[in-house]
Amino acid sequence: MADALRSAGGTVGAGALLTHVAPPVASPFGTASHVEGECILAIDVGGPAPPPEAVAFLDGIQRYAVEGRFGLVPVVRGYAAAAVLEREGTELGVARALQEEFLVVARSRLTPDQEAALEDVDLPIVECDAAERSHPILDVQLAAKAVQRRREVVEAELAAAHIEEAPGSWLVVDGSLGGIGALEDGARVVGLVKSHETQFLEGADLEVALTLPEGHRTSVFARTAGARGRVFSFYLRLWPWQEHDLLHGLVRIERPPGEAAVAEASEVSRWLLAERAPLSAPDGRWDRLIYPIRQVETFLRAQAGGWW
Amino acid sequence: MIRLGGGSTIGRVVATEALPAGPHQFHFWTAIDTAIGIGAIVRVDAENGRTVYAVVVDGRAYSDLATPLHEVVAAEGDPAGDRAPTRRTEIRLWTAAVLRHEPDEPIQPVPLADVLLATEQDVEAALRMDGYVRGEQPTGIPIGVYRAGGLAAPVYLDADFLLGPESAHLNISGVSGLATKTSAVEFLLSSIFQRLPSHKGSVAALCFNVKGPDLCFLDQPTELTEADEELYSVMGLAPRPFEKVHYFAPYKADGVNLNTLRSNAALVGDVQPLVWGLREVLDYHEVLLNRDDIDAKADAFLDFLADRVVDKQFRDEWGNTHRVGSFADLQLLFKAIFDGLEAAGRGDSWRTHHIATIRKVRNRLLNISTRCRGLVTDDGTVSDLPFGRFEDRSVYVLDVAGMDQLGQDLVFTRVVTRLREHLERGDLGVDHVVVFVDELNKYAPADGPDTYVRKMLLDISERGRYLGLVLFAAQQFRSQVHRRVVGNAGTLVFGRMDMDELAMPGYQVLSPATKIKLATLPPGALVVPRPPFSQPLFVRVPRPAVLQGPAGVKRFPPAADVPFEEAVVRQLTAMDKRIAPARIRDCIAGRREDDVRRALLATARTRPDDVEGYFKASLGPAVRREAAGRDQDATTPLRSVEDPYAT
């Protein structure tokens, strides 16, 4: 099979064994516009370089559990936490952390007595959307989305606090900057996106992006970011993808829109390449998950402990 | 390094299914920069009021690295490549062995709580020292200083445990050449002398100096480092040499130069000769005579001599009256027997003893003074240890380093037997005697012949505690010392050890980390394993405040052997510096050496105020020598009986 693929100009993948159909992608396509040049190019960033001295890393986690139901209406207890770990020398230390515990329920479906009973519980109540018709799974999914939104809020609060209190420090955020509030041009915030469910490029641009050689980045492009407008972004290949699959070692970097994002793209790429060590293995996402972000996750999971 | 005083929280107990916390062992983690290490004492307080004291016996560090391959991948195969910007998360995981639970019952697993560095009070409680350090009649003897995490706390042993009647005896092991064993014993003796409370009675030490100048300068001060002085201060001890030390050494073969390295003119005056005669030796003939030679018949004749002849009026069948008090007297007795038998014409037996047996015993006995020349004299003069007059807090050093094995055996056996006899009667002069013997690998080996010295050491080990006879013994290889000698030692102490030795079964109770630390201990650091404490404890011991052997020899170079006349002059002037050497030379000119030797010995033994006068009086007036008609000492061989034992 490998010979057949190579003989006709194809590439050979990792051959991972799969058994289930992957869940459908919620938003497979987005839109983008060129910022750096007229088309997407593969740019050699020049190898890894030492990161800036002041760097912090932000990540968040969420937990939820169905505590019970009023009739068919689920009552969900949620937990959201986020932390910023700051690096001093080579040591990571907790700079700031936030955690919240709350109830999630579709208030519109509760009776006054039921609502009053929940208010007696010493936890804040977060409203979630209600589906048109009751559905035991869909209702819980809607509650889970509310928990996720709370996590994004907590992350955004921490990011804002860090940017305000440590303006000279870089902040590497796990995931998209879409949830973070408005950021000025030149703000030292980097979003590190590991999942590629939404593709903003297409055609030749997409092929260039997804077949980047190791140590290369794409040209900077702008993607739409909901109501907030645009976020500047580029792809970066941390590890070679040959013998694996297209997405192996590929991350998408997000920066606040502005000239600095373009000017600093290669520099940021170089120190992110340096962050490949230490390896975050045995985490299955080791090819895209940098070690400090994994440490934020480890810290948050340890803090959550046996939350239930 | 974070420096912490005692009582600070330094870790937390962790327990998993694979690494559970038990009642006797648990695990805890600390910060990477922690003040504790192997041997540190910690405390765990449970919420229900229980407290657990423990000592750290092992430590591990690891990171979240799942496999070394991940490091290779991250470094892209280049170990000299750029360092990773972030250090992996590490853990310091410690294993601690429980020393004590409070309350003692019920014994339960250690609670999963904070771990605190022990305070001085905690160390006391953890090692159960509170029972004998405090109270109306404390019996704590400082044996070293526990140091960890910035805390320095004295460690005590119970005098009842160290000196009896509970347990008693101390055994110290360690490699040779680091001055650890001898130094530790010297320090311990000093500590006992300074701190043994009066209600525990009096104590003296008897040390056999078996190697070079090891114990020859116990009364001489030495310079200590600040660190040593600090250790003394922590223990509340004064760093000073022994105040009362009595040295004993036999003469060399010339019978006048002392067989010791403490022969410098400035010190030799303090050394008393150790000289024994027939009576002192005869009771221990089994030590000196080869068992292959001495059969039942010879034994019977020796018993006859000991019971009926020596130190008694004895009338033979030929009208002669003998009082045998020396080898010379014994020689005359044998001559009379042989002459009498020859004259009577019956040469086969005397008083039921066959003439061949008598000849054999004569030859073997008379040979002793030759084989142990310097210790055993022909003429019956004796200079012995002051049995019955031992003084409290005194050290008696017997320098047997220059003697051959036979002489050492005799000295060990007789001295220990006499000590035991006096202690049994309660008339030694002190209530406890610590006997220090180094080189147990030589004197009480696990294998080898059953020597009298080994029997004596076994006897002290097994029965000494009831009498106040305490053995402090040292050796390089504990595994090769007789098990009953080591097993009866209530207190064990380890200095630096060979890894080969630590691999022996007797050390299986030590953790691997403790063994490795033992193999790399610096001088002055000791481990006190169980017993007496429930877990091995590392302590620092200061250098003894006495001049060590090699330094002593440098400061007080031994005097070279000198001719007879000069040796006599030196010894007398060392006793009394006012004596004019010329007068002594005039006095001894032309006198028989044996007479001079006897007078010198009497003077050295008596230590009179007027040394010269006493010596001259002991020597007596000069008598003109007359030529004898025949050699009085010669024994005419019997014609009728062949002497197969002539030597």
Side-chain angles (χ1 to χ4, degrees), chain A residues 29-170:
Chain A
F29 303 109
T31 56
S33 57
H34 295 125
V35 172
E36 187 183 16
E38 298 298 318
C39 63
I40 295 297
L41 298 174
I43 301 168
D44 186 349
V45 300
E53 292 223 339
V55 190
F57 304 88
L58 184 151
D59 197 4
I61 62 166
Q62 65 204 34
R63 300 275 190 277
Y64 65 93
V66 178
E67 291 287 321
R69 291 179 186 267
F70 287 121
L72 298 180
V73 182
V75 178
V76 170
R77 190 157 60 95
Y79 173 89
V84 174
L85 264 56
E86 212 163 30
R87 187 161 60 199
E88 281 187 36
T90 58
E91 302 283 345
L92 290 173
V94 179
R96 45 187 58 82
L98 269 179
Q99 56 185 8
E100 280 186 4
E101 194 173 3
F102 45 86
L103 294 177
V104 184
V105 70
R107 281 179 185 251
S108 58
R109 290 194 178 174
L110 299 182
T111 65
D113 285 350
Q114 291 169 338
E115 202 168 350
L118 289 181
E119 278 170 358
D120 284 346
V121 179
D122 194 19
L123 286 174
I125 298 175
V126 174
E127 175 84 49
C128 71
D129 298 335
E132 289 178 9
R133 290 166 54 188
S134 287
H135 187 295
I137 297 172
L138 189 59
D139 289 343
V140 174
Q141 282 181 351
L142 290 170
K145 281 186 180 170
V147 175
Q148 183 176 321
R149 282 196 297 275
R150 281 309 304 164
R151 191 255 294 162
E152 287 169 356
V153 169
V154 170
E155 285 180 355
E157 284 177 23
L158 269 192
H162 185 82
I163 291 164
E164 184 180 342
E165 292 169 26
S169 167
W170 284 86

Side-chain angles (χ1 to χ4, degrees), chain B residues 270-586:
Chain B
D270 297 335
V271 184
Q272 295 185 47
L274 186 69
V275 178
W276 293 339
L278 175 64
R279 169 47 75 188
E280 286 70 35
V281 172
L282 194 61
D283 290 342
Y284 306 96
H285 64 263
E286 291 183 23
V287 180
L288 299 169
L289 302 181
N290 190 332
R291 293 303 309 172
D292 297 334
D293 282 353
I294 303 303
D295 52 18
K297 288 181 284 186
D299 250 348
F301 183 59
L302 282 163
D303 288 343
F304 170 80
L305 290 176
D307 294 343
R308 305 274 299 278
V309 177
V310 175
D311 286 342
K312 292 185 175 68
Q313 291 285 352
F314 176 74
R315 190 173 178 81
D316 62 25
E317 288 84 340
W318 303 284
N320 305 313
T321 301
H322 302 268
R323 185 167 186 92
V324 176
S326 67
F327 282 98
D329 298 337
L330 188 66
Q331 170 85 324
L332 291 175
L333 172 68
F334 281 122
K335 180 178 181 305
I337 294 169
F338 294 141
D339 285 349
L341 288 175
E342 185 185 9
R346 51 184 181 86
D348 54 346
S349 67
W350 176 72
R351 297 204 177 190
T352 74
H353 301 287
H354 194 273
I355 193 70
T357 303
I358 297 173
R359 278 193 180 282
K360 181 162 73 171
V361 169
R362 183 204 65 166
N363 290 336
R364 298 295 178 269
L365 281 181
L366 297 183
N367 196 27
I368 289 173
S369 62
T370 306
R371 291 161 70 196
C372 298
R373 190 177 294 278
L375 172 68
V376 177
T377 60
D378 283 335
D379 57 13
T381 48
V382 172
S383 175
D384 205 357
L385 285 163
F387 295 110
R389 291 177 287 110
F390 268 47
E391 295 172 10
D392 191 18
R393 325 279 157 162
S394 289
V395 183
Y396 298 84
V397 178
L398 290 181
D399 192 348
V400 295
M403 299 178 74
D404 65 7
Q405 182 66 51
L406 186 79
Q408 289 186 348
D409 287 355
L410 176 62
V411 171
F412 274 124
T413 308
R414 180 172 180 275
V415 168
V416 170
T417 305
R418 293 298 306 276
L419 285 176
R420 194 186 60 203
E421 290 168 356
H422 280 278
L423 284 167
E424 278 172 352
R425 295 197 300 265
D427 65 356
L428 183 64
V430 291
D431 301 308
H432 305 90
V433 178
V434 177
V435 176
F436 172 46
V437 183
D438 199 353
E439 302 293 338
L440 273 202
N441 286 130
K442 178 179 175 186
Y443 298 112
D447 305 318
D450 192 17
T451 64
Y452 273 84
V453 175
R454 193 166 79 171
K455 281 182 188 169
M456 286 297 107
L457 293 170
L458 275 168
D459 194 54
I460 301 178
S461 302
E462 292 174 337
R463 283 175 284 279
R465 66 173 63 100
Y466 307 109
L467 303 171
L469 189 56
V470 183
L471 178 65
F472 279 18
Q475 70 280 320
Q476 189 170 356
F477 305 113
R478 176 170 159 263
S479 62
Q480 292 172 31
V481 173
H482 197 290
R483 284 185 65 180
R484 279 153 58 202
V485 173
V486 175
N488 276 293
T491 303
L492 298 178
V493 178
F494 296 155
R496 186 193 293 183
M497 309 276 278
D498 270 345
M499 278 309 279
D500 286 350
E501 172 70 2
L502 289 167
M504 302 301 284
Y507 302 93
Q508 279 176 346
V509 293
L510 301 175
S511 72
T514 303
K515 284 184 184 176
I516 290 168
K517 188 166 176 182
L518 259 173
T520 55
L521 274 187
L526 295 175
V527 176
V528 185
R530 52 189 164 183
F533 305 122
S534 52
Q535 295 293 339
L537 182 74
F538 289 85
V539 295
R540 298 289 304 190
V541 175
R543 280 201 311 154
V546 301
L547 195 57
Q548 298 296 290
V553 168
K554 270 189 185 169
R555 195 188 298 175
F556 299 105
D561 287 353
V562 290
F564 181 82
E565 184 182 89
E566 190 57 31
V568 174
V569 170
R570 278 195 189 176
Q571 286 191 42
L572 289 172
T573 51
M575 286 183 234
D576 185 352
K577 302 210 182 320
R578 296 167 300 176
I579 294 175
R583 286 206 304 271
I584 300 297
R585 286 193 192 97
D586 291 345

Side-chain angles (χ1 to χ4, degrees), chain B residues 171-339:
Chain B
N171 184 279
I172 180 166
S173 305
V175 297
S176 292
L178 292 179
T180 301
K181 302 190 292 287
T182 307
S183 296
V185 169
E186 288 169 355
F187 161 75
L188 271 174
L189 288 176
S190 173
S191 179
I192 291 169
F193 281 15
Q194 290 189 47
R195 297 294 283 277
L196 183 72
S198 56
H199 66 267
K200 296 307 301 177
S202 51
V203 62
L206 192 146
C207 304
F208 290 99
N209 183 54
V210 296
K211 278 187 307 185
D214 268 7
L215 303 170
C216 285
F217 308 99
L218 298 184
D219 56 341
Q220 298 298 318
T222 190
E223 283 186 14
L224 295 173
T225 62
E226 277 185 24
D228 285 327
E229 285 178 354
E230 187 192 334
L231 292 174
Y232 277 102
S233 170
V234 169
M235 290 183 280
L237 295 173
R240 59 175 184 241
F242 293 96
E243 290 166 2
K244 292 188 282 185
V245 188
H246 307 276
Y247 293 94
F248 295 85
Y251 285 120
K252 292 184 178 172
D254 63 10
V256 70
N257 284 292
L258 285 166
N259 195 354
T260 177
L261 290 174
R262 189 185 165 95
S263 55
N264 185 283
L267 303 177
V268 74
D270 297 335
V271 184
Q272 295 185 47
L274 186 69
V275 178
W276 293 339
L278 175 64
R279 169 47 75 188
E280 286 70 35
V281 172
L282 194 61
D283 290 342
Y284 306 96
H285 64 263
E286 291 183 23
V287 180
L288 299 169
L289 302 181
N290 190 332
R291 293 303 309 172
D292 297 334
D293 282 353
I294 303 303
D295 52 18
K297 288 181 284 186
D299 250 348
F301 183 59
L302 282 163
D303 288 343
F304 170 80
L305 290 176
D307 294 343
R308 305 274 299 278
V309 177
V310 175
D311 286 342
K312 292 185 175 68
Q313 291 285 352
F314 176 74
R315 190 173 178 81
D316 62 25
E317 288 84 340
W318 303 284
N320 305 313
T321 301
H322 302 268
R323 185 167 186 92
V324 176
S326 67
F327 282 98
D329 298 337
L330 188 66
Q331 170 85 324
L332 291 175
L333 172 68
F334 281 122
K335 180 178 181 305
I337 294 169
F338 294 141
D339 285 349

Side-chain angles (χ1 to χ4, degrees), chain A residues 87 90-91 276 279 291 295, chain B residues 64 76 86-89:
Chain A
R87 187 161 60 199
T90 58
E91 302 283 345
R276 293 181 301 183
L279 221 58
Y291 184 83
Q295 288 309 94
Chain B
D64 57 3
E76 298 186 75
T86 306
R87 230 173 79 175
R88 283 188 179 276
T89 301

